[in-house]
Amino acid sequence: MATPATDLVALFEVDEAGEALPEASWNIAPTTPVPIVVEPAPRDDRPPARRLEAARWGLVPAWADDVSVGVRAFNARGETAASKPMFRDAVQSRRALVPADGWYEWQRSGDAKVPHYVRGDAPISFAGLYAWWKQPDGAWLLSTTILTTAATGELAGIHERMPVVVAPAMRDAWLDAEEEGEAVLEAVLAEAPEVAAGLRMHVVDRRVGNVRDQGPGLVEPVA
């Protein structure tokens, strides 16, 4: 995510931005920090405040014994998230938007894999879930996961799965903790194919396979 935090604040109508937001990155790996937009349920008659925060990519639920749980929970299948113990509570009341400029997807071609960059005309937002986990030292860790669904259209020719991209008109409902979780999840999944049809993609350099590589050149088209 290379779009500046100030732009994300305006685009996602954020009320408050947390400290230590992630620096610009063109190659983000699981367990590293990513920006997320959350809108916790109001308390003590205070109106809800939409926040931009940094979260560890890989959900660590409150009941987890160890942070390593998040290593295998950086993605969640949208079709089953509402029924899985790892994700079902978050589906009900801790839904997040994960802003992104785009994402990389690998297409198998014979014995090789070809990386593609998928993007929209402006920053997009993945359907995410979040959780707070109390660390052994007493500090709280905010973590997140990204929902996926069956790929459709051109994306299906690259990979069988794709992230769930939330349509701009659905962002408020997705963040609203008072919306019924399974219902809003079903609505977002139903719109996912249409949203995906508006995205564009191109082949990029295989350097994106090395998470230590950075820079805007990673997302440039190659022959």
Side-chain angles (χ1 to χ4, degrees), residues 92-155:
Q92 296 307 320
S93 59
R94 293 190 301 277
R95 299 181 297 274
L97 295 173
V98 184
D101 296 313
W103 77 93
Y104 301 116
E105 201 65 85
W106 293 77
Q107 179 184 31
R108 183 169 293 281
S109 178
D111 294 332
K113 288 186 176 181
V114 179
H116 293 68
Y117 182 60
V118 187
R119 65 181 180 88
D121 293 325
I124 57 178
S125 55
F126 301 134
L129 307 172
Y130 71 95
W132 287 97
W133 182 72
K134 193 171 186 179
Q135 302 177 85
D137 64 1
W140 288 93
L141 174 71
L142 177 62
S143 63
T144 191
T145 189
I146 295 171
L147 297 181
T148 66
T149 189
T152 57
E154 289 186 71
L155 286 171

Side-chain angles (χ1 to χ4, degrees), residues 12-66:
F12 293 96
E13 300 178 328
V14 168
D15 299 309
E16 303 170 4
E19 298 179 359
L21 293 170
E23 296 182 356
S25 177
W26 288 265
N27 206 355
I28 300 174
T31 75
T32 57
V34 296
I36 68 171
V37 179
V38 299
E39 191 174 298
R43 292 183 178 180
D44 302 325
D45 296 325
R46 290 179 296 178
R50 184 170 298 185
R51 295 188 55 82
L52 179 66
E53 298 281 8
R56 176 188 169 106
W57 185 16
L59 194 80
V60 184
W63 46 261
D65 293 326
D66 189 84

